[in-house]
Structures are given as C-alpha cells and as structure tokens.
Amino acid sequence: MRGASSAQEAQPCGEGVGLFRKVLIANRGEIALRVARTCRELGIQVVAVHSTVDRESAVVRYADEAIQIGPAPAKRSYLHIPAIVEAALQSGADAVHPGYGFLSEDPDFAEVCQANGLTFVGAPAAVIAALGDKTAARTMMAGADLPMLPGSLEALPSEAEAQRFADKIGYPVIIKAAAGGGGRGMRVVRDSSAFARAYQETRATAQAIFGDSRVYVERYLEHARHVEVQVLADQYGSVVHLGTRDCTVQRRHQKLVEETPAPRLSAQVLRRMGEAAVRGAAAAGYVGAGTFEFLVDGDEFYFMEVNCRIQVEHPVTEMVTGIDLVREQFRVAAGQPLELRQEDVVPHGTAIECRVNVEDPERQFVPTPGLLEEFLPPGGPFVRVDTHGFPGYRVPAAYDPLLAKVVVWGATREQALDRMDRALGEFRVSGRGVCTTTEFLRTVVRHPLFRAARHSTSLVEQILSDRQA
C-alpha cells in the first residue's frame, strides 16, 4: 500500500458532507482516474487498486492510497472479488465504485460489498441480476409498454426451436446471449441455411465469455441507428432522464463515436424515448445512473437492453447538461434524493466523443500495446480529454485498448464536428510499435454520411470496404 503526498490528500468540502469518507475504485485506466477526480472535488479520499503491470499507472500516482491486488490477468486481479474486497477493508474504505466493465454489472460483487459493510456505488444487486438477464429484461420492459422488436422473450433452448422461431419472424435475425453485454455474444444470420451454425457458435461463445449458454433471437435491422437514454434514479422512486446519445458508429458491435443529442430525430421521438426510459427504470426499481439502449429505424424505436453502470460515453451528456454523473452516483448511493426534476434538465448544444484506441486500423484493428514515447493530447476551448496516458507509460497488452476519449462541445453539430476534426488532428501519440485510431476517427468525422447524420451501424464496414476498393 502506498500513501499519497500531503498535497494530494483530499480535503473535506461542504459538497461532500454526508457522502463518503474514503472510496475504493475497483477499476483501472481512464475511468478510474475520472472517478478519482470527482472524489477529490467532493473531499473523498481515493483508494486505487492495481495489477502488477499497472503499478506505475496514472490513477496509482493520483490516489491517496494504492493497493496491489494481483498479477496482470484480469481474472486474478480486477475480476478477483476476494482481493478487491480485502483491499477495501484493509484501507478502511466505506464505499466501492466499480467504474464500467470488469465487475460493474456483477450482482455477486454488489452483494459481497454490501455483506462486508461496503456501499456499492451502483444499482442494487437484485436489479443488476434482473436486467443483466436480457430475456428477463425484455419481458419486464414489454410489461412496462416499451416498444420491442419481433423476437423471443425467453431463451430458446434447442436449435430446432430457435430455427423455427427465426423462420417465423423472418430474416435477417440476430442471435444474442441472454447474459451478454458490451457488444459481445451475438451473431447476425441472413438466411435459414446459416442459422444452425450461428446458433451453435453463439451458444459456445456465450458459455465461454459469460458462463451461460442461453440465447434468444430477434429481428435484425440492417440500417438501424443505436440510440441510448441516460437515466438517474434515487432510492425514493424519483427518475429523470438526461437526453439521448447516438452510438451508431461501431466496429463489431463496439462503439467508436458517440454524440448527444441524437441527430435527425424529431422532438416528439426524443421525448417518447426519454419517457420510455423513465417508465422502464421505474418498473425495474432502478437506483443510480443507468442507460437504456434502443434501436432506431426511421421514427420508430425499439428496446434493446439496460446497462446498469456508468457508460464509457457519459462525458458527452455531462458536456451538454453541466451535470457530473459520478457525483450524482455518489449522492444516490449515500441515500440522498435527486436534486433534479425533469424540467431542470435543459441540454445545450452538441457534444461528440471519439474513443482513441491503441489499435492499427490498417491491420483489422489489431491492438498495438507498447511504450508511449510521445503523448500530447489536444486542448483548446470546449475540448475535454479523459485519458490515463502520459509520456513513458507502457500500455499493457492485458486489457482493453482504450487509451483516451476526446470529447468536444459546440453550439451546433457542425461546429462540434469541426472542433473534433481539429482536436483529433492535434493528438500526438507515438512509440515503438504503437498505433492509434485517431486518423481513422477523423475519416469517420469527415465522412459525408456522418456529417449529414444519415449513417447506420454499417458505416465503419463501408469505410473499410471503400479503402480496399
């Protein structure tokens, strides 16, 4: 365990009174550092955990205390519940913030925290369990009158039953893991002849990744947009939404670019989506910050899933609303009621986020970890960069390749797009064997379909295809 210098120690402030004294952040990378900064503003002491390869990371340097919890493999460190809980108890933390990924949507982790007297800064374990099962979530949301795509509300246990269902609703369909999330555990099937193999592969993938082979089937929209709604809910039944985020630009179901508000949607559709998310959160008994994800086809939208955590793309919502979502997470977890009413949420302008990954787009986005010899992020008016990178930092190969999130705000979408192009052009990252996605992201931002907000989830594949032509 390492102590912080006196200059870094969190100082109590009025805003943090009644929240927490010390918080352990059960995560790494840019999200751990981002959570730690809100803790500092609230006068909350920060405990970082780290694997052996993360001992020199930015959040370890920033935290008041840092505890090593295991070797590089995530299963033996960031996913190892006993080590994380022991670190929290050893440090005297009174709460645990899970960030996103890793254990953030693990109901067992939430339960173990509570059993050891630690406040879990997230949704209740029972809610995480209910919404983490995609078929159970679909059934619940259908009962709350959220619009649904044609699909099975229950898992389909046999290949024959699943194929009969797919043939009935019509192709293309998508097979999804019932316990899935984060864009993993799904396959698109375009005709009946390809169904059997895709069904078996999806089940095998689901078992390997999630330990649960159950799958379900729903209609696949070829040119849909992916739009989500941020919600906040307290322990007393109050729920508000903070508007939409368009997350349509994806590669293999992994988001690359996000923006708010979702462009080219009428005020009526945006209002209906917000109301649907609030209705769904109330039906689930949701508490904390969460995200309702929808597929949009024209003026129609359909429920997909709920993410029971802070999202990677939450900064764009913060940029247009002025609301610190992590602060709200802490307030709700401490038992305080929401300060916001729906009429208090008045977004301004447009915000866009680009995820800069340590990957080589010219080699099918293969990860390129290594030593950062040069690292100079962009700046200037209305530019925010959430990153854990710095010159001399060795990006480990063991984890997600996300290095930085470049977030910009503009009074108009056009201004925000131009500002993002400028910011990405300023980003300087180099090192032995290190590549990033910055130039590819500039291609996306400049693409005519994206500029006109007439893109779909196939945009990245279209760009890659055009490059090869």
Side-chain angles (χ1 to χ4, degrees):
M1 182 163 66
R2 181 190 59 75
S5 67
S6 58
Q8 276 193 320
E9 291 175 356
Q11 299 299 317
C13 64
E15 190 180 12
V17 172
L19 296 181
F20 303 103
R21 184 183 63 85
K22 183 183 287 189
V23 169
L24 180 138
I25 303 171
N27 217 298
R28 64 174 302 280
E30 61 83 19
I31 186 58
L33 188 57
R34 184 266 172 275
V35 172
R37 284 172 168 147
T38 286
C39 287
R40 185 81 73 229
E41 291 189 1
L42 294 173
I44 298 172
Q45 295 179 46
V46 175
V47 182
V49 295
H50 64 92
S51 68
T52 52
V53 295
D54 274 339
R55 64 170 62 92
E56 298 298 326
S57 65
V59 71
V60 166
R61 298 181 178 195
Y62 186 86
D64 299 289
E65 303 172 38
I67 301 175
Q68 184 171 299
I69 53 171
K75 288 184 177 180
R76 299 175 62 190
S77 52
Y78 298 106
L79 290 170
H80 189 43
I81 293 176
I84 292 175
V85 171
E86 176 59 30
L89 297 175
Q90 175 187 340
S91 67
D94 46 3
V96 174
H97 194 299
Y100 56 69
F102 292 134
L103 296 170
S104 61
E105 293 182 283
D106 187 327
D108 293 337
F109 181 51
E111 284 187 348
V112 170
C113 286
Q114 295 295 142
N116 282 275
L118 300 164
T119 298
F120 178 78
V121 184
V127 174
I128 296 174
L131 295 177
D133 184 316
K134 305 309 178 188
T135 54
R138 283 168 58 81
T139 300
M140 183 187 299
M141 295 306 141
D145 199 28
L146 270 67
M148 315 290 290
L149 277 171
S152 57
L153 293 180
E154 297 180 351
L156 299 168
S158 74
E159 178 187 313
E161 183 180 353
Q163 177 130 26
R164 282 195 299 270
F165 187 88
D167 291 343
K168 178 181 177 181
I169 65 174
Y171 294 88
V173 300
I174 185 166
I175 308 173
K176 293 184 176 181
R184 299 179 299 170
M186 59 182 70
R187 279 173 173 75
V188 175
V189 185
R190 302 189 185 282
D191 60 69
S192 183
S193 65
F195 188 88
R197 180 177 178 179
Y199 177 85
Q200 295 298 336
E201 289 178 346
T202 307
R203 280 177 59 89
T205 300
Q207 182 63 44
I209 296 177
F210 307 111
D212 185 339
S213 65
R214 293 175 305 128
V215 299
Y216 66 99
V217 174
E218 69 180 17
R219 177 76 57 75
Y220 179 69
L221 299 179
E222 288 280 8
H223 302 292
R225 293 168 60 191
H226 184 152
V227 178
E228 60 191 28
V229 177
Q230 176 73 59
V231 298
L232 287 173
D234 65 21
Q235 300 175 17
Y236 311 103
S238 294
V239 186
V240 299
H241 73 83
L242 306 184
T244 58
R245 295 188 291 250
D246 189 302
C247 307
T248 298
V249 180
Q250 301 179 12
R251 175 183 55 82
R252 295 196 292 270
H253 306 294
Q254 299 291 314
K255 302 168 186 173
L256 297 180
V257 180
E258 301 96 355
E259 64 177 296
T260 184
R264 209 167 48 83
L265 289 179
S266 69
Q268 181 183 24
V269 172
L270 294 173
R271 176 182 56 78
R272 286 170 48 218
M273 291 183 74
E275 291 172 350
V278 168
R279 197 164 60 245
Y286 199 87
V287 176
T291 303
F292 279 70
E293 304 207 2
F294 300 94
L295 285 176
V296 177
D297 185 17
D299 285 337
E300 300 299 324
F301 62 91
Y302 307 94
F303 171 78
M304 279 206 321
E305 63 183 21
V306 183
N307 291 306
C308 300
R309 53 177 165 79
I310 199 78
Q311 292 280 91
V312 178
E313 58 271 21
H314 75 274
V316 293
T317 297
E318 294 180 331
M319 293 284 269
V320 300
T321 64
I323 296 169
D324 181 339
L325 290 173
V326 174
R327 172 185 178 272
E328 296 305 313
Q329 285 187 295
F330 282 131
R331 292 190 66 261
V332 168
Q336 296 187 6
L338 287 180
E339 298 173 311
L340 298 166
R341 298 168 299 176
Q342 192 60 61
E343 55 267 32
D344 297 326
V345 182
V346 184
H348 296 283
T350 293
I352 302 173
E353 172 182 291
C354 284
R355 304 188 188 190
V356 176
N357 294 332
V358 183
E359 295 176 326
D360 186 354
E362 300 301 323
R363 293 189 293 148
Q364 298 183 327
F365 292 88
V366 63
T368 59
L371 180 68
L372 301 183
E373 297 173 338
E374 178 187 35
F375 187 83
L376 182 62
F382 308 109
V383 175
R384 165 179 168 176
V385 181
D386 283 14
T387 182
H388 57 291
F390 55 86
Y393 173 57
R394 184 173 294 280
V395 180
Y399 313 114
D400 185 276
L402 178 63
L403 177 64
K405 301 182 314 197
V406 179
V407 190
V408 303
W409 178 91
T412 64
R413 185 172 186 266
E414 182 179 19
Q415 186 183 60
L417 287 168
D418 291 343
R419 182 163 285 143
M420 178 61 78
D421 188 29
R422 187 267 296 171
L424 291 172
E426 290 180 3
F427 211 156
R428 296 287 180 267
V429 183
S430 64
R432 298 168 217 167
V434 174
C435 296
T436 73
T437 55
T438 51
E439 284 305 312
F440 183 83
L441 291 167
R442 290 188 84 185
T443 300
V444 173
V445 169
R446 292 173 171 181
H447 197 279
L449 287 177
F450 186 74
R451 298 281 304 197
R454 296 195 175 278
H455 57 294
S456 70
T457 51
S458 63
L459 177 62
V460 170
E461 283 70 25
Q462 181 176 340
I463 292 173
L464 293 174
S465 177
D466 291 344
R467 284 186 168 191
Q468 295 170 357

